[in-house]
Amino acid sequence: MKFTMKALLGVAALMASAAIAQAQTTLKWAHVYEATEPFHTESVWAAEEIAKRTDGRYEIDVFPASQLGKEADINQGLKLGTVDIIVSGSSFASREYKPIGVTYYPYIFRDPAHLIAYTKSDVFKKLVEGYEEASGNHITAVTYYGTRHTTANKEIKTCADMQGLKIRVPDVPAYLAMPQACGANTTPIAFAEVYLALQNGTVDAQENPLTTIEAKKFYEVQSNIILTGHIVDHLNTVVSGRLWESLSDEDKQIFSDVMLEAAERATKIVEEREAELVDKFRADGLSVTEVDKEEFLNTVLENAPLENYGYNREDWEAIRAVQ
């Protein structure tokens, strides 16, 4: 009887140890955005929700504001195993699979609703499959990041007004199209270093959504906001292939469901904030200028045609046609 009890206790101890080991599985979720932004707050919500729905088998630590590296670093980290989950733009996904970067060609999306409709389309599924095959990673969700506008220390009303302007733009071909088509001098500077570059005059201008302009306090070192609306931007939630393959089908469903819900929550917050910020910036004394987007678009199509960037016109036309 004693032997039997000892055996049972031993088995129980082993089972308890296994349960503890499972509960202590810790994952790293990284991004470059501030802790106040919805891309972080809703990632934290998702991490907590995944822990709840998996009975604590996965504990996820979320690292904001480039704590685990710049955006290129965390994308590379998915392969190296230094991060497990990231929030990052398709501009970086396009380094693994170029066609997915077509979504950053200027004025491809009409508005956020068009972007979200695209994420449910066949062309989106095709581009994601291409990225996943090339990278080994898995995209679980897409979040509306905001519509990108321009800030500067000079008034800009037309595309020609950007001639010679030193503007910080991410080093991604499609991001460069609008400013280069308008004659600006584009400069790639890491996202974490943009404020200082504007402050010390390394560059005269930058472009980002209104929510980012607020969160990064670019309005403190820029006097003009120009509503160019050239890119309806988005972020992907990406799980490393190594982690994704290790998940059971049940856990894959949990991760997908939670990350999709987090993306929807963040998208709603961004849209609400954007609606308020134009009035806020004007009240704060900044000059906020509307532009003729059609004039900008025509200049881009003429001076920086899609073919120059190596993107598939068929994909571009399919995305433009999404309703």
Side-chain angles (χ1 to χ4, degrees):
M1 185 69 176
K2 283 185 178 180
F3 176 81
T4 304
M5 286 298 295
K6 283 182 179 178
L8 288 172
L9 289 170
V11 171
L14 286 171
M15 291 175 67
S17 296
I20 290 169
Q22 277 191 312
Q24 291 177 341
T25 300
T26 302
L27 304 175
K28 293 181 179 179
W29 183 326
H31 62 80
V32 300
Y33 304 100
E34 297 300 313
T36 56
E37 294 185 84
F39 320 113
H40 179 68
T41 59
E42 302 317 300
S43 294
V44 171
W45 173 85
E48 293 171 349
E49 194 66 17
I50 288 170
K52 288 178 188 175
R53 297 191 196 183
T54 61
D55 298 320
R57 286 183 287 107
Y58 295 96
E59 294 186 14
I60 305 175
D61 295 325
V62 184
F63 298 86
S66 304
Q67 288 179 10
L68 296 187
K70 297 171 184 177
E71 198 156 6
D73 299 326
I74 62 174
N75 274 271
Q76 186 66 16
L78 292 174
K79 286 186 175 180
L80 299 176
T82 54
V83 295
D84 304 288
I85 304 161
I86 66 171
V87 177
S88 178
S90 285
S91 55
F92 285 87
S94 70
R95 296 183 180 186
E96 299 280 357
Y97 182 66
K98 188 168 184 177
I100 203 169
V102 71
T103 52
Y104 284 96
Y105 189 77
Y107 303 103
I108 191 169
F109 294 114
R110 297 181 293 276
D111 51 36
H114 183 196
L115 167 67
I116 298 304
Y118 152 74
T119 66
K120 300 172 184 177
S121 70
D122 289 340
V123 65
F124 171 75
K125 291 175 185 175
K126 185 187 84 167
L127 290 172
V128 167
E129 285 172 2
Y131 165 75
E132 293 183 352
E133 184 176 343
S135 69
N137 301 320
H138 181 69
I139 295 176
T140 57
V142 175
T143 304
Y144 171 55
Y145 178 67
T147 300
R148 298 181 82 92
H149 301 290
T150 305
T151 70
N153 283 323
K154 61 173 281 188
E155 188 175 57
I156 294 171
K157 290 185 177 180
T158 68
C159 192
D161 291 336
M162 296 183 72
Q163 184 72 37
L165 186 73
K166 291 187 298 181
I167 182 171
R168 180 269 176 180
V169 182
D171 191 17
V172 177
Y175 275 85
L176 302 172
M178 185 278 284
Q180 288 184 346
C182 294
N185 296 323
T186 54
T187 303
I189 294 173
F191 187 62
E193 299 165 10
V194 176
Y195 184 98
L196 182 60
L198 293 168
Q199 188 178 47
N200 64 24
T202 302
V203 291
D204 307 310
Q206 66 85 46
E207 51 81 58
N208 260 299
L210 297 177
T211 49
T212 305
I213 293 166
E214 180 191 38
K216 297 296 287 185
K217 301 186 185 301
F218 295 149
Y219 60 86
E220 293 180 347
V221 288
Q222 298 273 265
S223 58
N224 293 68
I225 295 176
I226 304 93
L227 301 177
T228 46
H230 49 286
I231 295 174
V232 177
D233 210 344
H234 63 283
L235 299 173
N236 302 314
T237 305
V238 188
V239 178
S240 74
R242 173 183 43 79
L243 170 59
W244 189 252
E245 290 304 315
S246 74
L247 298 177
S248 67
D249 289 344
E250 180 184 0
D251 286 344
K252 284 178 181 177
Q253 192 64 52
I254 290 171
F255 274 61
S256 294
D257 289 347
V258 171
M259 290 172 174
L260 279 169
E261 188 173 347
E264 290 170 359
R265 288 162 59 104
T267 292
K268 183 179 179 183
I269 292 169
V270 172
E271 289 188 281
E272 289 173 350
R273 287 187 180 176
E274 281 188 321
E276 300 167 353
L277 280 173
V278 169
D279 289 340
K280 179 184 182 297
F281 285 136
R282 283 183 172 140
D284 289 343
L286 279 80
S287 170
V288 181
T289 306
E290 301 272 358
V291 300
D292 181 353
K293 292 181 184 178
E294 198 69 22
E295 184 255 337
F296 274 77
L297 170 58
N298 290 336
T299 303
V300 171
L301 290 173
E302 181 181 352
N303 295 339
L306 189 75
E307 291 76 12
N308 285 10
Y309 297 86
Y311 296 128
N312 188 321
R313 180 162 286 274
E314 182 181 335
D315 291 338
W316 182 78
E317 290 174 350
I319 293 169
R320 294 271 293 178
V322 169
Q323 298 297 320

